[in-house]
Amino acid sequence: MFWPVIITVISVLVVESIVVAVIVRKKHLDRWLPSYLFGMDSCPRLNQPVPRPEAIESGTAAELLESPKTRADAPCGEDEFPPVRVTKVKGHRTPFERFQQDEPLHVFIAVCDHYEPDNAHPARHVADARNARWCREYPELFGRFEDSRGRSPQHSFFYPQDEYFVPEYLDQLKGLCEAGFGDVEIHLHHNDDTASGLRDKLESFRDTLHNRHGLLRRDPRTGELTYGFIHGNWALCNSRDDGKWCGVNDELTILRETGCYADFTLPSAPEATQTRIVNSIYYSASEPSRPKSHDRGTRAALGVAPPQKHLLMVQGPLTMDWQDRTRGVMPRIENADLLHRRPPTWHRFQQWLRCGIHVTGRPDWCFMNLHTHGCKDGNIDMWLGEQTQSFHHELANQSADRKNFHYYYVTAWEMAQLVHQAEAGFARPVFDEAAA
């Protein structure tokens, strides 16, 4: 009787191990799970920044500090955040610990939408109705919600260059953005492309968005048009194993040279395009001879200037949700994808907070880059329905109960500027500069 029991137990363990191994391989967990389990400090692909004497003496951070609106000696109203500069943050070292202990914590929430009215090639009247519904219902539903500074929820519409079929959609979105509900940025699906072809697509669409539709903005330092970017099919820098849906290894260089201020593509798990770097804000540069260059980079850090000729990479949360298991066994991958079957909730928010995405040395500022496909059937009903409204209600209730918990609805552009403020040592966020 003893040996049959032992053999049965061993057999069950072997079968379970095989099942787990298959799932790990199928979901490409081997790409990023070690970094998740052991922390990014153990990841050899993410370099620690090297402090330099000129760290905050030039570039974006210096100009923010010298601005009349942000100098420490500039007059501030009673309700304004004094832009005092810090060199070290006291208290716990992760955003979630600070949240638990009710220590000062500023959380920035950006919804980066792969906004595709023509998703799944619908009839024209269906795509028309999708875009019109967003522009009509979003202000009606969300204009009554306010964050810690009295601002309504923001939505960054990353519009696909390859689906620029109806210019009027962007004219309608411009009205929504001018009403104070978001921004438009650039999304792109391409396949078997070349460096010159990619450059032409980006420059042409960038100019069209600005010249025809009055969208995008100019970099306050250079005066050049600038934009945020999300790569279609997650294949940034030719990162798919089969080489599909991109074709350009040197993509980061081309993005930076055509005015991209930051990339918001990741996370992409469970796709194979997911980097080993997770839950990080960092800088990366292309290597023309190597695909997936953004699998290596240098952390963004307090008091350290960004590396030259590198692009800012703002990742969203990626973790394993042990409280939500697939078929009651395997923990679900929490990748900050907002779907009709996975709407924003307070439980998910806490998972994002545990990921603790922040500029190194600034655990008091937490960045949440959330993504979605807002025009997909089902998703649009979630976004413009009761589930999302309940989430905003819960955020307000939690903030009211915690005096040191502050949350802010921001656009993708504002999130990137707030990263630079964190690097520069702003004690509190200054939104006039972030929105400029």
Side-chain angles (χ1 to χ4, degrees), residues 60-76 80-85 365 417-418 421 424-436:
T60 304
E63 293 184 8
L64 286 171
L65 288 170
E66 290 302 318
S67 167
K69 294 182 181 179
T70 59
R71 288 198 315 269
D73 59 349
C76 293
E80 294 182 15
F81 288 147
V84 177
R85 182 175 172 181
W365 289 23
Q417 305 315 302
L418 288 161
Q421 288 188 21
F426 282 32
R428 296 187 179 184
V430 178
F431 290 96
D432 285 346
E433 291 295 333

PDB file of all heavy atoms in Angstrom, residues 60-76 80-85 365 417-418 421 424-436:
ATOM      1  N   THR A  60      16.088  68.905 -20.060  1.00  0.00           N
ATOM      2  CA  THR A  60      14.714  69.113 -19.613  1.00  0.00           C
ATOM      3  C   THR A  60      14.635  69.484 -18.141  1.00  0.00           C
ATOM      4  O   THR A  60      13.956  70.431 -17.753  1.00  0.00           O
ATOM      5  CB  THR A  60      13.891  67.839 -19.862  1.00  0.00           C
ATOM      6  OG1 THR A  60      13.982  67.495 -21.237  1.00  0.00           O
ATOM      7  CG2 THR A  60      12.445  68.062 -19.488  1.00  0.00           C
ATOM      8  N   ALA A  61      15.321  68.728 -17.301  1.00  0.00           N
ATOM      9  CA  ALA A  61      15.210  68.963 -15.863  1.00  0.00           C
ATOM     10  C   ALA A  61      15.676  70.354 -15.484  1.00  0.00           C
ATOM     11  O   ALA A  61      15.049  71.045 -14.679  1.00  0.00           O
ATOM     12  CB  ALA A  61      16.012  67.904 -15.111  1.00  0.00           C
ATOM     13  N   ALA A  62      16.787  70.791 -16.055  1.00  0.00           N
ATOM     14  CA  ALA A  62      17.305  72.119 -15.733  1.00  0.00           C
ATOM     15  C   ALA A  62      16.329  73.205 -16.153  1.00  0.00           C
ATOM     16  O   ALA A  62      16.089  74.159 -15.419  1.00  0.00           O
ATOM     17  CB  ALA A  62      18.652  72.325 -16.415  1.00  0.00           C
ATOM     18  N   GLU A  63      15.730  73.057 -17.334  1.00  0.00           N
ATOM     19  CA  GLU A  63      14.811  74.083 -17.808  1.00  0.00           C
ATOM     20  C   GLU A  63      13.555  74.133 -16.940  1.00  0.00           C
ATOM     21  O   GLU A  63      12.983  75.191 -16.708  1.00  0.00           O
ATOM     22  CB  GLU A  63      14.457  73.806 -19.269  1.00  0.00           C
ATOM     23  CG  GLU A  63      15.684  73.998 -20.178  1.00  0.00           C
ATOM     24  CD  GLU A  63      15.340  73.826 -21.640  1.00  0.00           C
ATOM     25  OE1 GLU A  63      14.144  73.720 -21.958  1.00  0.00           O
ATOM     26  OE2 GLU A  63      16.265  73.809 -22.458  1.00  0.00           O
ATOM     27  N   LEU A  64      13.121  72.970 -16.434  1.00  0.00           N
ATOM     28  CA  LEU A  64      11.979  72.974 -15.523  1.00  0.00           C
ATOM     29  C   LEU A  64      12.304  73.735 -14.253  1.00  0.00           C
ATOM     30  O   LEU A  64      11.510  74.533 -13.762  1.00  0.00           O
ATOM     31  CB  LEU A  64      11.596  71.529 -15.181  1.00  0.00           C
ATOM     32  CG  LEU A  64      10.883  70.734 -16.280  1.00  0.00           C
ATOM     33  CD1 LEU A  64      10.776  69.273 -15.867  1.00  0.00           C
ATOM     34  CD2 LEU A  64       9.515  71.299 -16.574  1.00  0.00           C
ATOM     35  N   LEU A  65      13.495  73.511 -13.732  1.00  0.00           N
ATOM     36  CA  LEU A  65      13.876  74.173 -12.488  1.00  0.00           C
ATOM     37  C   LEU A  65      14.059  75.664 -12.657  1.00  0.00           C
ATOM     38  O   LEU A  65      13.843  76.446 -11.739  1.00  0.00           O
ATOM     39  CB  LEU A  65      15.163  73.549 -11.929  1.00  0.00           C
ATOM     40  CG  LEU A  65      14.994  72.146 -11.345  1.00  0.00           C
ATOM     41  CD1 LEU A  65      16.351  71.526 -11.061  1.00  0.00           C
ATOM     42  CD2 LEU A  65      14.177  72.193 -10.060  1.00  0.00           C
ATOM     43  N   GLU A  66      14.478  76.097 -13.839  1.00  0.00           N
ATOM     44  CA  GLU A  66      14.719  77.516 -14.072  1.00  0.00           C
ATOM     45  C   GLU A  66      13.471  78.270 -14.478  1.00  0.00           C
ATOM     46  O   GLU A  66      13.456  79.491 -14.520  1.00  0.00           O
ATOM     47  CB  GLU A  66      15.787  77.684 -15.158  1.00  0.00           C
ATOM     48  CG  GLU A  66      17.178  77.265 -14.689  1.00  0.00           C
ATOM     49  CD  GLU A  66      17.626  78.043 -13.463  1.00  0.00           C
ATOM     50  OE1 GLU A  66      17.407  79.263 -13.422  1.00  0.00           O
ATOM     51  OE2 GLU A  66      18.165  77.428 -12.539  1.00  0.00           O
ATOM     52  N   SER A  67      12.397  77.544 -14.808  1.00  0.00           N
ATOM     53  CA  SER A  67      11.178  78.207 -15.234  1.00  0.00           C
ATOM     54  C   SER A  67      10.629  79.088 -14.118  1.00  0.00           C
ATOM     55  O   SER A  67      10.655  78.729 -12.949  1.00  0.00           O
ATOM     56  CB  SER A  67      10.123  77.158 -15.622  1.00  0.00           C
ATOM     57  OG  SER A  67       8.860  77.772 -15.755  1.00  0.00           O
ATOM     58  N   PRO A  68      10.097  80.287 -14.458  1.00  0.00           N
ATOM     59  CA  PRO A  68       9.494  81.139 -13.431  1.00  0.00           C
ATOM     60  C   PRO A  68       8.376  80.441 -12.667  1.00  0.00           C
ATOM     61  O   PRO A  68       8.110  80.752 -11.521  1.00  0.00           O
ATOM     62  CB  PRO A  68       8.953  82.330 -14.239  1.00  0.00           C
ATOM     63  CG  PRO A  68       9.783  82.356 -15.481  1.00  0.00           C
ATOM     64  CD  PRO A  68      10.099  80.926 -15.791  1.00  0.00           C
ATOM     65  N   LYS A  69       7.718  79.464 -13.323  1.00  0.00           N
ATOM     66  CA  LYS A  69       6.611  78.778 -12.671  1.00  0.00           C
ATOM     67  C   LYS A  69       7.087  77.718 -11.682  1.00  0.00           C
ATOM     68  O   LYS A  69       6.324  77.241 -10.872  1.00  0.00           O
ATOM     69  CB  LYS A  69       5.708  78.102 -13.721  1.00  0.00           C
ATOM     70  CG  LYS A  69       4.985  79.070 -14.635  1.00  0.00           C
ATOM     71  CD  LYS A  69       4.102  78.300 -15.590  1.00  0.00           C
ATOM     72  CE  LYS A  69       3.365  79.233 -16.551  1.00  0.00           C
ATOM     73  NZ  LYS A  69       2.517  78.486 -17.499  1.00  0.00           N
ATOM     74  N   THR A  70       8.362  77.313 -11.781  1.00  0.00           N
ATOM     75  CA  THR A  70       8.797  76.174 -10.993  1.00  0.00           C
ATOM     76  C   THR A  70      10.009  76.437 -10.128  1.00  0.00           C
ATOM     77  O   THR A  70      10.473  75.547  -9.438  1.00  0.00           O
ATOM     78  CB  THR A  70       9.127  74.993 -11.927  1.00  0.00           C
ATOM     79  OG1 THR A  70      10.169  75.404 -12.832  1.00  0.00           O
ATOM     80  CG2 THR A  70       7.932  74.568 -12.731  1.00  0.00           C
ATOM     81  N   ARG A  71      10.575  77.649 -10.128  1.00  0.00           N
ATOM     82  CA  ARG A  71      11.701  77.930  -9.249  1.00  0.00           C
ATOM     83  C   ARG A  71      11.259  77.815  -7.791  1.00  0.00           C
ATOM     84  O   ARG A  71      10.141  78.171  -7.427  1.00  0.00           O
ATOM     85  CB  ARG A  71      12.248  79.338  -9.502  1.00  0.00           C
ATOM     86  CG  ARG A  71      13.005  79.492 -10.803  1.00  0.00           C
ATOM     87  CD  ARG A  71      13.849  80.766 -10.713  1.00  0.00           C
ATOM     88  NE  ARG A  71      13.121  81.890 -10.163  1.00  0.00           N
ATOM     89  CZ  ARG A  71      12.445  82.765 -10.893  1.00  0.00           C
ATOM     90  NH1 ARG A  71      12.410  82.638 -12.194  1.00  0.00           N
ATOM     91  NH2 ARG A  71      11.815  83.780 -10.314  1.00  0.00           N
ATOM     92  N   ALA A  72      12.146  77.347  -6.959  1.00  0.00           N
ATOM     93  CA  ALA A  72      11.799  77.183  -5.548  1.00  0.00           C
ATOM     94  C   ALA A  72      11.451  78.509  -4.896  1.00  0.00           C
ATOM     95  O   ALA A  72      10.701  78.555  -3.926  1.00  0.00           O
ATOM     96  CB  ALA A  72      12.958  76.518  -4.808  1.00  0.00           C
ATOM     97  N   ASP A  73      11.994  79.625  -5.432  1.00  0.00           N
ATOM     98  CA  ASP A  73      11.724  80.919  -4.827  1.00  0.00           C
ATOM     99  C   ASP A  73      10.553  81.635  -5.489  1.00  0.00           C
ATOM    100  O   ASP A  73      10.250  82.774  -5.173  1.00  0.00           O
ATOM    101  CB  ASP A  73      12.978  81.808  -4.895  1.00  0.00           C
ATOM    102  CG  ASP A  73      13.440  82.033  -6.336  1.00  0.00           C
ATOM    103  OD1 ASP A  73      12.927  81.340  -7.243  1.00  0.00           O
ATOM    104  OD2 ASP A  73      14.303  82.902  -6.531  1.00  0.00           O
ATOM    105  N   ALA A  74       9.889  80.966  -6.441  1.00  0.00           N
ATOM    106  CA  ALA A  74       8.753  81.591  -7.110  1.00  0.00           C
ATOM    107  C   ALA A  74       7.561  81.622  -6.159  1.00  0.00           C
ATOM    108  O   ALA A  74       7.347  80.698  -5.371  1.00  0.00           O
ATOM    109  CB  ALA A  74       8.376  80.812  -8.376  1.00  0.00           C
ATOM    110  N   PRO A  75       6.742  82.701  -6.217  1.00  0.00           N
ATOM    111  CA  PRO A  75       5.596  82.778  -5.312  1.00  0.00           C
ATOM    112  C   PRO A  75       4.561  81.730  -5.643  1.00  0.00           C
ATOM    113  O   PRO A  75       4.317  81.417  -6.804  1.00  0.00           O
ATOM    114  CB  PRO A  75       5.050  84.197  -5.573  1.00  0.00           C
ATOM    115  CG  PRO A  75       5.515  84.536  -6.948  1.00  0.00           C
ATOM    116  CD  PRO A  75       6.852  83.871  -7.097  1.00  0.00           C
ATOM    117  N   CYS A  76       3.949  81.130  -4.633  1.00  0.00           N
ATOM    118  CA  CYS A  76       2.929  80.114  -4.826  1.00  0.00           C
ATOM    119  C   CYS A  76       1.698  80.505  -4.039  1.00  0.00           C
ATOM    120  O   CYS A  76       1.800  81.022  -2.928  1.00  0.00           O
ATOM    121  CB  CYS A  76       3.409  78.740  -4.340  1.00  0.00           C
ATOM    122  SG  CYS A  76       4.759  78.070  -5.319  1.00  0.00           S
ATOM    123  N   GLU A  80      -1.321  75.921  -4.154  1.00  0.00           N
ATOM    124  CA  GLU A  80      -0.374  75.435  -5.148  1.00  0.00           C
ATOM    125  C   GLU A  80       0.691  74.580  -4.483  1.00  0.00           C
ATOM    126  O   GLU A  80       1.031  74.739  -3.328  1.00  0.00           O
ATOM    127  CB  GLU A  80       0.281  76.608  -5.882  1.00  0.00           C
ATOM    128  CG  GLU A  80      -0.696  77.410  -6.729  1.00  0.00           C
ATOM    129  CD  GLU A  80       0.013  78.532  -7.465  1.00  0.00           C
ATOM    130  OE1 GLU A  80       1.251  78.500  -7.545  1.00  0.00           O
ATOM    131  OE2 GLU A  80      -0.672  79.432  -7.951  1.00  0.00           O
ATOM    132  N   PHE A  81       1.247  73.658  -5.279  1.00  0.00           N
ATOM    133  CA  PHE A  81       2.313  72.821  -4.779  1.00  0.00           C
ATOM    134  C   PHE A  81       3.627  73.588  -4.848  1.00  0.00           C
ATOM    135  O   PHE A  81       4.048  73.989  -5.916  1.00  0.00           O
ATOM    136  CB  PHE A  81       2.434  71.551  -5.611  1.00  0.00           C
ATOM    137  CG  PHE A  81       1.317  70.587  -5.400  1.00  0.00           C
ATOM    138  CD1 PHE A  81       0.879  69.787  -6.427  1.00  0.00           C
ATOM    139  CD2 PHE A  81       0.700  70.462  -4.167  1.00  0.00           C
ATOM    140  CE1 PHE A  81      -0.140  68.887  -6.244  1.00  0.00           C
ATOM    141  CE2 PHE A  81      -0.314  69.567  -3.968  1.00  0.00           C
ATOM    142  CZ  PHE A  81      -0.746  68.771  -5.009  1.00  0.00           C
ATOM    143  N   PRO A  82       4.296  73.829  -3.742  1.00  0.00           N
ATOM    144  CA  PRO A  82       5.590  74.511  -3.819  1.00  0.00           C
ATOM    145  C   PRO A  82       6.636  73.598  -4.458  1.00  0.00           C
ATOM    146  O   PRO A  82       6.853  72.488  -3.980  1.00  0.00           O
ATOM    147  CB  PRO A  82       5.927  74.785  -2.347  1.00  0.00           C
ATOM    148  CG  PRO A  82       5.162  73.759  -1.586  1.00  0.00           C
ATOM    149  CD  PRO A  82       3.920  73.494  -2.360  1.00  0.00           C
ATOM    150  N   PRO A  83       7.263  74.026  -5.531  1.00  0.00           N
ATOM    151  CA  PRO A  83       8.222  73.169  -6.240  1.00  0.00           C
ATOM    152  C   PRO A  83       9.579  73.107  -5.559  1.00  0.00           C
ATOM    153  O   PRO A  83      10.603  73.495  -6.114  1.00  0.00           O
ATOM    154  CB  PRO A  83       8.298  73.827  -7.616  1.00  0.00           C
ATOM    155  CG  PRO A  83       8.038  75.268  -7.344  1.00  0.00           C
ATOM    156  CD  PRO A  83       7.064  75.307  -6.196  1.00  0.00           C
ATOM    157  N   VAL A  84       9.603  72.662  -4.320  1.00  0.00           N
ATOM    158  CA  VAL A  84      10.852  72.495  -3.595  1.00  0.00           C
ATOM    159  C   VAL A  84      11.603  71.314  -4.178  1.00  0.00           C
ATOM    160  O   VAL A  84      11.010  70.306  -4.538  1.00  0.00           O
ATOM    161  CB  VAL A  84      10.575  72.268  -2.096  1.00  0.00           C
ATOM    162  CG1 VAL A  84      11.867  72.022  -1.335  1.00  0.00           C
ATOM    163  CG2 VAL A  84       9.840  73.468  -1.518  1.00  0.00           C
ATOM    164  N   ARG A  85      12.905  71.418  -4.263  1.00  0.00           N
ATOM    165  CA  ARG A  85      13.715  70.343  -4.821  1.00  0.00           C
ATOM    166  C   ARG A  85      14.198  69.422  -3.706  1.00  0.00           C
ATOM    167  O   ARG A  85      14.606  69.869  -2.643  1.00  0.00           O
ATOM    168  CB  ARG A  85      14.915  70.930  -5.566  1.00  0.00           C
ATOM    169  CG  ARG A  85      15.804  69.891  -6.219  1.00  0.00           C
ATOM    170  CD  ARG A  85      16.877  70.573  -7.021  1.00  0.00           C
ATOM    171  NE  ARG A  85      17.862  69.625  -7.508  1.00  0.00           N
ATOM    172  CZ  ARG A  85      18.921  69.961  -8.234  1.00  0.00           C
ATOM    173  NH1 ARG A  85      19.129  71.227  -8.547  1.00  0.00           N
ATOM    174  NH2 ARG A  85      19.771  69.037  -8.643  1.00  0.00           N
ATOM    175  N   TRP A 365       6.540  58.984  -5.916  1.00  0.00           N
ATOM    176  CA  TRP A 365       5.812  59.232  -7.159  1.00  0.00           C
ATOM    177  C   TRP A 365       5.681  57.902  -7.889  1.00  0.00           C
ATOM    178  O   TRP A 365       6.693  57.286  -8.268  1.00  0.00           O
ATOM    179  CB  TRP A 365       6.550  60.226  -8.054  1.00  0.00           C
ATOM    180  CG  TRP A 365       6.549  61.643  -7.571  1.00  0.00           C
ATOM    181  CD1 TRP A 365       6.378  62.103  -6.293  1.00  0.00           C
ATOM    182  CD2 TRP A 365       6.737  62.809  -8.382  1.00  0.00           C
ATOM    183  NE1 TRP A 365       6.454  63.474  -6.254  1.00  0.00           N
ATOM    184  CE2 TRP A 365       6.675  63.937  -7.525  1.00  0.00           C
ATOM    185  CE3 TRP A 365       6.968  63.013  -9.730  1.00  0.00           C
ATOM    186  CZ2 TRP A 365       6.831  65.246  -7.982  1.00  0.00           C
ATOM    187  CZ3 TRP A 365       7.122  64.314 -10.208  1.00  0.00           C
ATOM    188  CH2 TRP A 365       7.051  65.415  -9.338  1.00  0.00           C
ATOM    189  N   GLN A 417       6.561  64.197 -18.876  1.00  0.00           N
ATOM    190  CA  GLN A 417       7.118  65.404 -18.258  1.00  0.00           C
ATOM    191  C   GLN A 417       7.246  65.250 -16.744  1.00  0.00           C
ATOM    192  O   GLN A 417       8.186  65.775 -16.128  1.00  0.00           O
ATOM    193  CB  GLN A 417       6.253  66.624 -18.599  1.00  0.00           C
ATOM    194  CG  GLN A 417       6.044  66.850 -20.087  1.00  0.00           C
ATOM    195  CD  GLN A 417       7.329  66.707 -20.887  1.00  0.00           C
ATOM    196  OE1 GLN A 417       8.312  67.411 -20.641  1.00  0.00           O
ATOM    197  NE2 GLN A 417       7.333  65.791 -21.839  1.00  0.00           N
ATOM    198  N   LEU A 418       6.322  64.514 -16.145  1.00  0.00           N
ATOM    199  CA  LEU A 418       6.408  64.265 -14.711  1.00  0.00           C
ATOM    200  C   LEU A 418       7.585  63.346 -14.371  1.00  0.00           C
ATOM    201  O   LEU A 418       8.183  63.458 -13.303  1.00  0.00           O
ATOM    202  CB  LEU A 418       5.091  63.676 -14.209  1.00  0.00           C
ATOM    203  CG  LEU A 418       3.935  64.689 -14.164  1.00  0.00           C
ATOM    204  CD1 LEU A 418       2.588  63.976 -14.123  1.00  0.00           C
ATOM    205  CD2 LEU A 418       4.079  65.626 -12.967  1.00  0.00           C
ATOM    206  N   GLN A 421      10.324  65.707 -14.127  1.00  0.00           N
ATOM    207  CA  GLN A 421      10.252  66.449 -12.865  1.00  0.00           C
ATOM    208  C   GLN A 421      10.779  65.598 -11.709  1.00  0.00           C
ATOM    209  O   GLN A 421      11.479  66.094 -10.824  1.00  0.00           O
ATOM    210  CB  GLN A 421       8.811  66.871 -12.582  1.00  0.00           C
ATOM    211  CG  GLN A 421       8.295  67.976 -13.474  1.00  0.00           C
ATOM    212  CD  GLN A 421       6.938  68.489 -13.031  1.00  0.00           C
ATOM    213  OE1 GLN A 421       6.531  68.317 -11.889  1.00  0.00           O
ATOM    214  NE2 GLN A 421       6.229  69.139 -13.946  1.00  0.00           N
ATOM    215  N   ALA A 424      14.407  65.590 -11.797  1.00  0.00           N
ATOM    216  CA  ALA A 424      14.938  66.892 -11.377  1.00  0.00           C
ATOM    217  C   ALA A 424      14.790  67.144  -9.881  1.00  0.00           C
ATOM    218  O   ALA A 424      15.368  68.100  -9.359  1.00  0.00           O
ATOM    219  CB  ALA A 424      14.242  68.007 -12.160  1.00  0.00           C
ATOM    220  N   GLY A 425      14.013  66.311  -9.199  1.00  0.00           N
ATOM    221  CA  GLY A 425      13.900  66.451  -7.755  1.00  0.00           C
ATOM    222  C   GLY A 425      12.745  67.308  -7.290  1.00  0.00           C
ATOM    223  O   GLY A 425      12.756  67.788  -6.145  1.00  0.00           O
ATOM    224  N   PHE A 426      11.726  67.513  -8.120  1.00  0.00           N
ATOM    225  CA  PHE A 426      10.565  68.263  -7.657  1.00  0.00           C
ATOM    226  C   PHE A 426       9.942  67.522  -6.474  1.00  0.00           C
ATOM    227  O   PHE A 426       9.661  66.331  -6.550  1.00  0.00           O
ATOM    228  CB  PHE A 426       9.519  68.382  -8.767  1.00  0.00           C
ATOM    229  CG  PHE A 426       9.825  69.424  -9.800  1.00  0.00           C
ATOM    230  CD1 PHE A 426      11.126  69.730 -10.159  1.00  0.00           C
ATOM    231  CD2 PHE A 426       8.798  70.091 -10.442  1.00  0.00           C
ATOM    232  CE1 PHE A 426      11.405  70.682 -11.124  1.00  0.00           C
ATOM    233  CE2 PHE A 426       9.061  71.055 -11.404  1.00  0.00           C
ATOM    234  CZ  PHE A 426      10.377  71.352 -11.745  1.00  0.00           C
ATOM    235  N   ALA A 427       9.695  68.223  -5.385  1.00  0.00           N
ATOM    236  CA  ALA A 427       9.084  67.594  -4.223  1.00  0.00           C
ATOM    237  C   ALA A 427       7.633  67.223  -4.505  1.00  0.00           C
ATOM    238  O   ALA A 427       7.146  66.198  -4.044  1.00  0.00           O
ATOM    239  CB  ALA A 427       9.162  68.521  -3.013  1.00  0.00           C
ATOM    240  N   ARG A 428       6.951  68.063  -5.277  1.00  0.00           N
ATOM    241  CA  ARG A 428       5.569  67.799  -5.660  1.00  0.00           C
ATOM    242  C   ARG A 428       5.385  68.109  -7.134  1.00  0.00           C
ATOM    243  O   ARG A 428       6.108  68.925  -7.705  1.00  0.00           O
ATOM    244  CB  ARG A 428       4.611  68.642  -4.812  1.00  0.00           C
ATOM    245  CG  ARG A 428       4.633  68.297  -3.330  1.00  0.00           C
ATOM    246  CD  ARG A 428       3.550  69.028  -2.580  1.00  0.00           C
ATOM    247  NE  ARG A 428       3.544  68.694  -1.164  1.00  0.00           N
ATOM    248  CZ  ARG A 428       2.652  69.144  -0.299  1.00  0.00           C
ATOM    249  NH1 ARG A 428       1.696  69.973  -0.717  1.00  0.00           N
ATOM    250  NH2 ARG A 428       2.705  68.784   0.969  1.00  0.00           N
ATOM    251  N   PRO A 429       4.406  67.470  -7.761  1.00  0.00           N
ATOM    252  CA  PRO A 429       4.222  67.678  -9.207  1.00  0.00           C
ATOM    253  C   PRO A 429       3.740  69.085  -9.528  1.00  0.00           C
ATOM    254  O   PRO A 429       2.934  69.668  -8.807  1.00  0.00           O
ATOM    255  CB  PRO A 429       3.165  66.636  -9.581  1.00  0.00           C
ATOM    256  CG  PRO A 429       2.439  66.344  -8.309  1.00  0.00           C
ATOM    257  CD  PRO A 429       3.446  66.490  -7.211  1.00  0.00           C
ATOM    258  N   VAL A 430       4.263  69.627 -10.615  1.00  0.00           N
ATOM    259  CA  VAL A 430       3.845  70.945 -11.111  1.00  0.00           C
ATOM    260  C   VAL A 430       3.195  70.726 -12.469  1.00  0.00           C
ATOM    261  O   VAL A 430       3.858  70.406 -13.445  1.00  0.00           O
ATOM    262  CB  VAL A 430       5.045  71.900 -11.232  1.00  0.00           C
ATOM    263  CG1 VAL A 430       4.610  73.249 -11.803  1.00  0.00           C
ATOM    264  CG2 VAL A 430       5.706  72.084  -9.872  1.00  0.00           C
ATOM    265  N   PHE A 431       1.883  70.875 -12.523  1.00  0.00           N
ATOM    266  CA  PHE A 431       1.159  70.455 -13.708  1.00  0.00           C
ATOM    267  C   PHE A 431       1.124  71.493 -14.811  1.00  0.00           C
ATOM    268  O   PHE A 431       0.925  71.144 -15.972  1.00  0.00           O
ATOM    269  CB  PHE A 431      -0.251  70.028 -13.309  1.00  0.00           C
ATOM    270  CG  PHE A 431      -0.271  68.753 -12.538  1.00  0.00           C
ATOM    271  CD1 PHE A 431      -0.309  68.769 -11.148  1.00  0.00           C
ATOM    272  CD2 PHE A 431      -0.186  67.533 -13.186  1.00  0.00           C
ATOM    273  CE1 PHE A 431      -0.287  67.586 -10.425  1.00  0.00           C
ATOM    274  CE2 PHE A 431      -0.171  66.357 -12.480  1.00  0.00           C
ATOM    275  CZ  PHE A 431      -0.219  66.379 -11.085  1.00  0.00           C
ATOM    276  N   ASP A 432       1.320  72.751 -14.497  1.00  0.00           N
ATOM    277  CA  ASP A 432       1.382  73.742 -15.569  1.00  0.00           C
ATOM    278  C   ASP A 432       2.550  73.422 -16.500  1.00  0.00           C
ATOM    279  O   ASP A 432       2.446  73.533 -17.724  1.00  0.00           O
ATOM    280  CB  ASP A 432       1.571  75.146 -14.985  1.00  0.00           C
ATOM    281  CG  ASP A 432       0.289  75.688 -14.372  1.00  0.00           C
ATOM    282  OD1 ASP A 432      -0.784  75.087 -14.654  1.00  0.00           O
ATOM    283  OD2 ASP A 432       0.334  76.675 -13.639  1.00  0.00           O
ATOM    284  N   GLU A 433       3.681  73.019 -15.930  1.00  0.00           N
ATOM    285  CA  GLU A 433       4.835  72.678 -16.746  1.00  0.00           C
ATOM    286  C   GLU A 433       4.619  71.352 -17.460  1.00  0.00           C
ATOM    287  O   GLU A 433       5.029  71.176 -18.604  1.00  0.00           O
ATOM    288  CB  GLU A 433       6.085  72.610 -15.876  1.00  0.00           C
ATOM    289  CG  GLU A 433       6.545  73.952 -15.352  1.00  0.00           C
ATOM    290  CD  GLU A 433       6.988  74.902 -16.451  1.00  0.00           C
ATOM    291  OE1 GLU A 433       7.422  74.422 -17.503  1.00  0.00           O
ATOM    292  OE2 GLU A 433       6.866  76.113 -16.257  1.00  0.00           O
ATOM    293  N   ALA A 434       3.979  70.398 -16.817  1.00  0.00           N
ATOM    294  CA  ALA A 434       3.757  69.100 -17.429  1.00  0.00           C
ATOM    295  C   ALA A 434       2.862  69.213 -18.634  1.00  0.00           C
ATOM    296  O   ALA A 434       3.005  68.464 -19.614  1.00  0.00           O
ATOM    297  CB  ALA A 434       3.165  68.140 -16.407  1.00  0.00           C
ATOM    298  N   ALA A 435       1.893  70.127 -18.596  1.00  0.00           N
ATOM    299  CA  ALA A 435       0.935  70.249 -19.688  1.00  0.00           C
ATOM    300  C   ALA A 435       1.430  71.128 -20.820  1.00  0.00           C
ATOM    301  O   ALA A 435       0.833  71.179 -21.877  1.00  0.00           O
ATOM    302  CB  ALA A 435      -0.388  70.817 -19.150  1.00  0.00           C
ATOM    303  N   ALA A 436       2.519  71.859 -20.598  1.00  0.00           N
ATOM    304  CA  ALA A 436       2.988  72.840 -21.602  1.00  0.00           C
ATOM    305  C   ALA A 436       3.384  72.165 -22.902  1.00  0.00           C
ATOM    306  O   ALA A 436       3.846  71.033 -22.909  1.00  0.00           O
ATOM    307  CB  ALA A 436       4.176  73.598 -21.035  1.00  0.00           C
TER     308      ALA A 436
END
